[in-house]
Amino acid sequence: MLYRRTKRRSGLAVLRLYCVIIAAAMLIVFAVRAFEGKASVFSQDYIVNFAGQITTDALSDAVQNTLNELDYDYGDFAVVKYSGDGSVKSIETNSKNINIFKAAVTKSAQDEVAKIKHSKMEIPLGAFTGLTLISNLGPQIPLTFCLTGNFNSRIESTFESAGINQTIHHIRLIISSHIVTASVDHSGEMTFDTDYELAQSVIVGEIPTTYGGNRLVY
């Protein structure tokens, strides 16, 4: 009789243990699924912002590398021609150098972005709770993604008044980027322009009406 009771209690203990294990396993599964759902929502915002940041850094490196390699200054992009009385006759741009620079910087941009094709970002565990006070706390959860893109560049001239009979001629590079990102549970794309000052010069004299106040694109 005592043996049967002991055996019955042992069986109940094993059954309870199984129930606890099954409940714990189900809790873990639900927690993981909830975590993955939250991570999917977060990745849409975080990946886009992070991809934009590292792409902008890569483009800055590409522009700086091209400037260092070609060693261009204002005179390599444009030349101001003066008439005999000292007035500004014309502003001539060097189309050859402009095209060389645009091609070089676009190639360099593609190379720099290729270096970060496979990227990883980290999000604090606290961010997944939705609580502001602990959003930056906890271990870092890694999220990996891939990015690729294509780029177009153009050079713009703008003229800015710098006082009486003086004008600043700005030469800027505008890079238009189309970036595509992809991770396990997210894919997206973004398009943005990035502006870089290449050179500038103070022009003394009245700017011809052909140029004054206009924005020229090359």
Side-chain angles (χ1 to χ4, degrees):
M1 188 72 176
L2 180 61
Y3 172 76
R4 289 181 179 178
R5 289 180 180 177
T6 302
K7 186 175 181 180
R8 184 181 301 173
R9 290 176 181 175
S10 177
L12 290 175
V14 172
L15 180 61
R16 289 172 182 170
L17 179 61
Y18 283 157
C19 290
V20 170
I21 293 175
I22 292 173
M26 292 179 65
L27 182 62
I28 291 173
V29 170
F30 287 137
V32 169
R33 289 180 65 87
F35 181 82
E36 287 184 347
K38 193 71 173 178
S40 176
V41 174
F42 264 66
S43 65
Q44 297 180 28
D45 296 327
Y46 274 75
I47 288 179
V48 169
N49 292 333
F50 187 72
Q53 175 187 335
I54 62 176
T55 301
T56 300
D57 292 341
L59 293 180
S60 297
D61 290 340
V63 173
Q64 191 59 53
N65 292 340
T66 304
L67 285 172
N68 292 339
E69 180 181 350
L70 296 178
D71 197 25
Y72 282 176
D73 57 18
Y74 178 86
D76 294 301
F77 292 109
V79 176
V80 180
K81 299 289 186 178
Y82 291 90
S83 60
D85 60 1
S87 61
V88 178
K89 181 180 179 181
S90 64
I91 301 175
E92 298 180 0
T93 56
N94 190 322
S95 299
K96 178 181 178 181
N97 285 350
I98 287 175
N99 290 331
I100 290 174
F101 186 86
K102 287 169 59 179
V105 79
T106 301
K107 172 68 166 54
S108 182
Q110 297 283 4
D111 293 341
E112 290 296 326
V113 169
K115 296 177 183 178
I116 55 173
K117 180 178 181 180
H118 300 286
S119 299
K120 181 179 74 173
M121 60 180 295
E122 295 181 336
I123 302 177
L125 182 61
F128 294 91
T129 65
L131 301 176
T132 303
L133 292 178
I134 61 173
S135 60
N136 291 321
L137 302 179
Q140 300 293 318
I141 307 301
L143 292 177
T144 58
F145 65 95
C146 296
L147 69 83
T148 185
N150 57 74
F151 308 94
N152 291 311
S153 62
R154 66 184 187 273
I155 289 181
E156 292 186 353
S157 285
T158 57
F159 300 90
E160 174 189 0
S161 175
I164 299 176
N165 214 33
Q166 291 186 343
T167 304
I168 300 178
H169 181 197
H170 297 277
I171 299 178
R172 294 186 174 94
L173 172 72
I174 313 297
I175 299 181
S176 298
S177 308
H178 180 75
I179 303 298
V180 178
T181 59
S183 64
V184 174
D185 52 10
H186 167 73
S187 63
E189 57 184 61
M190 55 182 167
T191 301
F192 59 91
D193 289 346
T194 315
D195 187 327
Y196 301 95
E197 179 96 3
L198 298 180
Q200 61 175 262
S201 179
V202 176
I203 301 173
V204 179
E206 185 178 353
I207 299 296
T209 55
T210 305
Y211 299 97
N214 290 338
R215 171 173 295 179
L216 307 180
V217 181
Y218 311 102

